[in-house]
Amino acid sequence: MTTHLEAPVGPATAPVPPPDGLRQSSFRPLIKRIKARGLMAGTTRYYLVTGVALVMVLAAVVAGLALLAGSWWTLLLAPLLAITWGQVSFVVHDAGHRQLPGPRSVSDRVGLVAANILLGVSFGYWNDKHDRHHANPNHEGLDPDVAEGIITWSERQHAKKTGLGLWVSRHQAALFFPLLTFQGWLLQVEAIGWLVRRPRGTRAVEGALLALHWSLYLGLLVWLLSPPQVLAFIVVHQGIWGFLLASVFAPNHKGMEMPEGQQTRRDHLQKQVPTSRNIIGSPLVDFFMGGLNYQVEHHLFPSMPRAHLKDAQPIVEEYCHEIDMPYVKVGMIESYGQILRYLHAVGNGRQPERLV
């Protein structure tokens, strides 16, 4: 494990400096360095190439299903489709942060197509949930990613557990990886519940697009495969996709500092860095995590195109060294070790150790 000085993150669509001019001064020098390198500029070519590549792979999967119709060999296409959906999910994420070049309407349209039609997840729901996470990362009661649920994230949540919930809490470290496979289903189900509470216009548009997704997804599988094959394909595909999604977001925050109470006196850097960790590794790690393994940089500059996060990383780390700001970066295996140790401690009612 390597622990360095680094800067924290900001809200979802753009870094929102604190209202007090003095408190935001520590962020100003950093944003000036980042802008001087042109790292906030759009990357039209990157998204065009990415979009074309994803369309081609999706078309190849559909063609493969047609060629192998009725055969159990089609299950080999389920992991490929899951990985492709993972990459589509990154496009949805970027669209929500307005990282795509052009006016906001472009990001909204791409987001609706990618999220609602391709993934079966409401784009509006994703934005609402993810924006709240960025505004208050790891803050219990404000960040939906650490809300009370099956997993226990704090001693306070553990104290409320009884019966089956308490048993799960005590064994959550062992159950953690199996539970990750349900992440995709969870997003799809929660999205429907979120839409029900939206204004009629939002429900109509996003609901229609979600209906189109399920018609295409289930219709294609039912048309080409037998019922047992359809069920097996969905379980494998959705399980791997959910695991990949959770494997991107869990290592970046879980087990890090969980702020309590009001944070009005914490500036942009202090609010974000202690709650985030970077995952170092290889180009393969960068691919499967969509570049979001540079989580500190992403939280500091949410609207920065994902392709630029790697270039921003050394600038941010150097700056954090200068101002004595804790900056944490670890390997993938070590990050999961920290998460599991944290979950085991919390699940057994003990005070967990946090890195910062």
Side-chain angles (χ1 to χ4, degrees):
M1 180 191 78
T2 308
T3 303
H4 301 272
L5 304 177
E6 179 156 320
V9 182
T13 55
V16 180
D20 187 325
L22 179 62
R23 291 205 300 269
Q24 58 178 293
S25 62
S26 63
F27 184 63
R28 281 177 177 162
L30 179 58
I31 188 64
K32 287 181 179 179
R33 297 183 192 183
I34 293 295
K35 288 183 175 180
R37 290 284 299 274
L39 297 178
M40 298 302 296
T43 53
T44 302
R45 180 179 178 182
Y46 171 80
Y47 285 109
L48 283 176
V49 171
T50 299
V52 170
L54 290 175
V55 169
M56 291 177 64
V57 176
L58 288 171
V61 171
V62 173
L65 286 170
L67 290 173
L68 298 172
S71 169
W72 283 97
W73 287 105
T74 53
L75 288 184
L76 295 178
L77 295 172
L80 176 59
L81 184 59
I83 293 172
T84 306
W85 273 32
Q87 298 300 312
V88 172
S89 301
F90 297 140
V91 174
V92 173
H93 170 272
D94 295 356
H97 282 298
R98 317 297 180 205
Q99 294 178 15
L100 276 60
R104 176 173 179 169
S105 59
V106 172
S107 291
D108 288 341
R109 289 166 184 167
V110 170
L112 284 170
V113 170
N116 292 58
I117 298 179
L118 296 182
L119 302 180
V121 176
S122 162
F123 184 54
Y125 157 75
W126 167 255
N127 283 337
D128 176 71
K129 181 176 185 290
H130 198 58
D131 283 1
R132 287 185 286 129
H133 159 69
H134 266 267
N136 294 282
N138 262 23
H139 193 300
E140 187 178 357
L142 297 176
D143 182 356
D145 288 354
V146 291
E148 293 185 30
I150 297 176
I151 296 291
T152 302
W153 300 114
S154 70
E155 303 95 299
R156 185 181 309 172
Q157 292 178 8
H158 174 79
K160 298 180 181 179
K161 298 289 185 178
T162 59
L164 179 61
L166 180 59
W167 183 89
V168 171
S169 180
R170 287 173 175 168
H171 297 84
Q172 63 183 7
L175 295 171
F176 182 65
F177 287 109
L179 288 173
L180 296 186
T181 61
F182 293 94
Q183 184 61 44
W185 291 107
L186 185 64
L187 289 176
Q188 292 168 331
V189 171
E190 287 184 345
I192 295 174
W194 183 87
L195 270 181
V196 170
R197 301 187 296 272
R198 296 304 102 190
R200 183 178 301 176
T202 301
R203 289 202 308 269
V205 173
E206 292 216 40
L209 294 178
L210 289 177
L212 177 59
H213 163 82
W214 290 111
S215 297
L216 293 172
Y217 180 70
L218 295 178
L220 181 66
L221 294 179
V222 170
W223 180 38
L224 296 174
L225 306 176
S226 67
Q229 291 169 347
V230 170
L231 180 60
F233 189 95
I234 291 175
V235 168
V236 173
H237 166 235
Q238 295 279 346
I240 294 176
W241 174 53
F243 185 87
L244 290 175
L245 283 180
S247 296
V248 170
F249 297 106
N252 292 321
H253 298 284
K254 303 303 183 271
M256 298 298 289
E257 177 184 308
M258 291 189 66
E260 297 179 355
Q262 297 296 319
Q263 299 189 72
T264 54
R265 301 190 64 82
R266 304 184 75 181
D267 72 11
H268 188 53
L269 297 178
Q270 295 169 339
K271 191 175 182 180
Q272 302 291 343
V273 160
T275 61
S276 306
R277 67 163 70 84
N278 276 11
I279 308 301
I280 57 178
S282 65
L284 192 62
V285 172
D286 292 354
F287 173 78
F288 278 103
M289 297 194 73
L292 295 177
N293 44 315
Y294 302 102
Q295 190 71 185
V296 175
E297 289 71 35
H298 171 56
H299 264 255
L300 282 171
F301 312 102
S303 60
M304 176 185 290
R306 185 160 42 93
H308 290 167
L309 293 176
K310 186 173 184 178
D311 295 326
Q313 189 276 327
I315 301 174
V316 173
E317 183 174 6
E318 179 183 23
Y319 180 74
C320 288
H321 275 290
E322 294 174 9
I323 64 172
D324 289 333
M325 175 66 68
Y327 181 101
V328 177
K329 62 179 184 180
V330 300
M332 176 67 78
I333 295 177
E334 174 58 21
S335 72
Y336 276 117
Q338 293 172 4
I339 293 170
L340 294 177
R341 289 191 293 271
Y342 175 86
L343 291 176
H344 181 74
V346 172
N348 286 275
R350 299 199 305 269
Q351 177 70 34
E353 294 184 7
R354 296 185 174 91
L355 293 182
V356 291

